Amino acid sequence: MDLSDKHIVLGLSGGIACYKSADLCRALVKLGATVQVVMTAAAGQFITPVTMQALSGRTVYGSQWDPREHNNMPHINLAREADAILIAPCSADFMVKLAQGGADDLLSLMCLARPMARVPLLLAPAMNREMWAHPATQRNLRQLQLDGATILGVGHGDQACGETGDGRMLEPTELALDMVAFFQPKCMLGRHVLVTAGPTYEAIDPVRGITNLSSGKMGYAVARAAREAGAQVTLVSGPVALDAPRGVTRISVRSAREMHTATLAQAPSADFFIATAAVADWRVANSAEHKIKKDGSGQMPQLQFAENPDILADVAQSERARSGALFCVGFAAESQDLLANAQAKRQRKGVPLLVGNIGPATFGQDDNALLLVTADGVEEFPRDSKLALARRLIMRSAELALSLESTGASHA
Ligand code: C5P
């Protein structure tokens, strides 16, 4: 579980979004975290400590005079036990307090007393759109960022007051994903990672086509892992039944040629290109404008095929890739002789890293096993969830790219 060794202090300040904090608490606990809830008096107007106690499995703190603590210093003890403090919802008023270093209630006092170098403070603001847009709020926000807080942003949409705009608290599932991402190592901070994923669909006629069994799960996990590692991520995706990972820009395409065009347009600004897509080698050259009908002759219509462009090979041949400025990773989905095929494919595609996997054993599954082939050798990532493997792959790619940069070695 992604938060299994984490102790999170979940702070609630006053706002209607407190009703979402119950779900958030549950989501964090489900991910393995221990959650200690601290509430302001205003938060207690919106949700009871009883609810939060039941969901967190711990008694809730609300007063700096709480006699339960042996030293009577809950603000010190709670802050020192935490791996992170998350304030959700963080009201406009509570932002003022934090920005000014106020300390007249337990939650603000605890935030002020937290060991800044060791215990990060994350804020999920929630307020009416006018309050959010107000220069005073935006000024406080900038100040809090300068002071080292991480602002998780706000959502857009209907507000409890009946208005529509920015300022909603992010949904509990989004905040839980942000917490998971927050704790991942930032090995690709500021980098642009381009990923292709899923199958392609090559039309025979307007209602039929040729595709394959790729679910896109591995590529989507790679895109998520790159985002968690701090990268800006563009995901060029064939038709799949998956939501875009949080914070990832998805460009949806259908055919190999559309994927080729979209990918080559992004490649000049990318630092990494990870080609996980199962691209059709061939497209139907004589695809019909209208639905092909049986004509009673018993003859099958003759399809002719044209070879699709090789997206990975084209990107890998670009000047930036050859100079090492763009690190390319290919995938090979094989049904046998994984090592030999992956080694040959690495050479043929001209990429520094080729990742082999057994196609029939991975398509559609939530887990996989990978074989990483570089010029220097072979490394096995044993069977694990696709997300865990993707995180390892991102970390390894960042290391390899760095060592290529520092040695200036020819990558392929
Ligand atoms: O040649 P093959 O399809 O086995 O190579 C697999 C690798 O090449 C994968 O990384 C895949 O995404 C990429 N590829 C591509 N364009 C193609 C065919 C494969 O980018 N037309």
Side-chain angles (χ1 to χ4, degrees), residues 196 275-281 308-312 329-332 345 348-349:
T196 61
T276 72
V279 185
D281 291 328
N308 273 326
D310 191 314
I311 305 166
L312 176 59
V329 182
F331 266 68
K345 198 159 290 184
R348 203 168 62 244
K349 303 266 180 180

Side-chain angles (χ1 to χ4, degrees), residues 261-403:
T261 305
T263 305
L264 266 74
Q266 294 291 325
S269 66
D271 302 301
F272 291 84
F273 173 48
I274 307 178
T276 72
V279 185
D281 291 328
W282 304 91
R283 67 178 177 277
V284 181
N286 59 339
S287 62
E289 194 184 336
H290 296 289
K291 186 179 170 191
I292 302 169
K293 306 232 184 249
K294 279 188 291 194
D295 62 7
S297 68
Q299 294 291 310
M300 210 176 80
Q302 289 303 304
L303 297 180
Q304 281 147 25
F305 292 92
E307 195 168 353
N308 273 326
D310 191 314
I311 305 166
L312 176 59
D314 283 357
V315 173
Q317 275 160 27
S318 69
E319 188 46 46
R320 293 186 65 247
R322 288 154 66 93
S323 73
L326 169 59
F327 186 86
C328 292
V329 182
F331 266 68
E334 305 293 346
S335 58
Q336 58 178 355
D337 295 336
L338 188 54
L339 178 58
N341 280 318
Q343 282 171 328
K345 198 159 290 184
R346 196 188 75 80
Q347 297 278 357
R348 203 168 62 244
K349 303 266 180 180
V351 293
L353 173 58
L354 199 295
V355 182
N357 57 174
I358 297 291
T362 177
F363 278 10
Q365 304 296 313
D366 288 326
D367 59 2
N368 197 0
L370 304 180
L371 191 68
L372 275 63
V373 179
T374 64
D376 296 330
V378 176
E379 196 179 340
E380 262 183 73
F381 286 1
R383 189 154 283 280
D384 206 339
S385 74
K386 287 184 174 175
L387 182 57
L389 292 171
R391 286 176 179 150
R392 287 188 69 182
L393 177 62
I394 287 295
M395 183 76 89
R396 199 75 194 94
S397 301
E399 287 165 3
L400 287 168
L402 207 63
S403 73

Side-chain angles (χ1 to χ4, degrees), residues 22-304:
D23 258 348
L24 172 59
C25 177
R26 210 175 155 75
L28 296 174
V29 169
K30 264 193 180 167
L31 285 164
T34 50
V35 179
Q36 175 60 61
V37 176
V38 179
M39 293 171 59
T40 65
Q45 296 290 326
F46 294 92
I47 191 166
T48 67
V50 175
T51 301
M52 299 310 294
Q53 178 177 346
L55 295 175
S56 64
R58 287 166 170 257
T59 55
V60 171
Y61 282 78
S63 164
Q64 64 269 48
W65 314 119
D66 197 316
R68 274 175 293 177
E69 293 294 301
H70 58 91
N71 56 358
N72 214 298
M73 293 185 196
H75 62 296
I76 301 290
N77 306 342
L78 295 172
R80 272 148 192 74
E81 285 159 10
D83 290 301
I85 299 173
L86 168 63
I87 312 291
C90 185
S91 68
D93 185 55
F94 200 72
M95 280 171 53
V96 174
K97 256 192 189 171
L98 290 175
Q100 295 188 349
D104 68 348
D105 70 335
L106 176 60
L107 190 55
S108 56
L109 180 60
M110 182 194 70
C111 289
L112 194 66
R114 87 184 205 278
M116 280 185 65
R118 193 169 57 74
V119 182
L121 176 64
L122 297 97
L123 309 178
M127 65 201 72
N128 164 268
R129 67 191 173 106
E130 301 288 1
M131 293 166 71
W132 174 250
H134 197 285
T137 303
Q138 293 300 316
R139 194 166 57 238
N140 289 330
L141 201 67
R142 282 192 298 278
Q143 186 59 55
L144 287 165
Q145 272 168 329
L146 286 173
D147 291 347
T150 297
I151 314 291
L152 297 176
V154 292
H156 177 92
D158 293 344
Q159 301 202 307
C161 50
E163 298 181 0
T164 303
D166 289 336
R168 284 166 60 96
M169 187 168 89
L170 293 173
E171 295 306 317
T173 47
E174 295 175 317
L175 289 172
L177 285 173
D178 285 349
M179 288 307 288
V180 170
F182 181 79
F183 287 112
Q184 294 303 316
K186 299 291 175 259
C187 59
M188 287 204 174
L189 196 62
R191 300 303 196 105
H192 180 197
V193 178
L194 178 61
V195 182
T196 61
T200 62
Y201 177 92
E202 311 297 328
I204 296 173
D205 69 17
V207 294
R208 305 183 183 95
I210 299 172
T211 186
N212 60 64
L213 290 174
S214 166
S215 63
K217 284 181 181 174
M218 190 68 226
Y220 275 56
V222 167
R224 173 177 167 180
R227 178 73 192 135
E228 287 177 342
Q232 173 214 335
V233 183
T234 308
L235 173 62
V236 180
S237 173
V240 297
L242 300 172
D243 291 332
R246 181 154 168 72
V248 165
T249 305
R250 176 166 61 180
I251 302 173
S252 296
V253 296
R254 215 161 75 139
S255 66
R257 282 195 296 178
E258 284 173 18
M259 187 174 273
H260 184 259
T261 305
T263 305
L264 266 74
Q266 294 291 325
S269 66
D271 302 301
F272 291 84
F273 173 48
I274 307 178
T276 72
V279 185
D281 291 328
W282 304 91
R283 67 178 177 277
V284 181
N286 59 339
S287 62
E289 194 184 336
H290 296 289
K291 186 179 170 191
I292 302 169
K293 306 232 184 249
K294 279 188 291 194
D295 62 7
S297 68
Q299 294 291 310
M300 210 176 80
Q302 289 303 304
L303 297 180
Q304 281 147 25

